[in-house]
Amino acid sequence: KAGVTQTPRYLIKTRGQQVTLSCSPISGHRSVSWYQQTPGQGLQFLFEYFSETQRNKGNFPGRFSGRQFSNSRSEMNVSTLELGDSALYLCASSLGGNTGTEAFFGQGTRLTAV
Amino acid sequence: QQQVKQSPQSLIVQKGGISIINCAYENTAFDYFPWYQQFPGKGPALLIAIRPDVSEKKEGRFTISFNKSAKQFSLHIMDSQPGDSATYFCAAITGRRALTFGSGTRLQVQP
């Protein structure tokens, strides 16, 4: 069974640009969550999508957005990139049921804003 | 309250020793408590998890101890090995909510 796939693995973008990150969940998983990981702030929740609908949202500015497609693949978008957005962006997939369950992470996308 | 508090921040253990990482939570609605292991440059990998109706779960050298009344849970790594050197995160989740992570513990196992 294939794991969670994130592309690209590394991304260098100029401040002010827009970036799009992609996540393919484990087959059968309907929930995809996105996290930002930095040395100072740890793992911070961005948002979660379940069956193409945003179900949960963290405390990030509106420059961060996402979407989920009918095949459960998800994209995360950062508009007007800032230097402070440099981080490892992780997505996690899970079945997404009514009780907590296993969530599996991808390798992450290392985003560097210059 | 969604916070999960994790300690210690860093831990140095000799090879063959026992590594113990502790977490505490406030939200009694949490119903699933996983531990993740993360190596540099990699995403967190699910290590072991427990539900609050169980006081202990063991998988190989890894054991979770859960104290529901104290709202605390801990990870014990028996016979710690240099290959266990990584950052460990506890987490908690309830139903349709997102994972809430602890701040992480950097474990170093010295040979």
Side-chain angles (χ1 to χ4, degrees), chain A residues 39-111:
Chain A
Q41 299 298 317
L43 282 153
Q44 292 188 288
F45 171 68
L46 282 153
F47 32 67
E48 182 222 0
Y49 285 85
F50 179 79
S51 293
E52 301 180 65
T53 301
Q54 187 181 86
R55 189 164 68 170
N56 291 293
K57 189 178 187 302
N59 297 320
F60 276 80
R63 300 184 297 104
F64 292 84
S65 63
R67 59 177 175 169
Q68 187 179 34
F69 302 95
S70 58
N71 61 358
S72 293
R73 189 178 71 85
S74 177
E75 288 183 347
M76 190 196 95
N77 186 76
V78 185
S79 64
T80 320
L81 194 65
E82 297 181 1
L83 295 180
D85 297 334
S86 295
L88 181 65
Y89 289 88
L90 295 157
C91 86
S93 83
S94 69
L95 290 171
N98 291 328
T99 58
T101 186
E102 294 93 340
F104 299 92
F105 283 83
Q107 298 266 50
T109 293
R110 173 71 64 183
L111 173 63

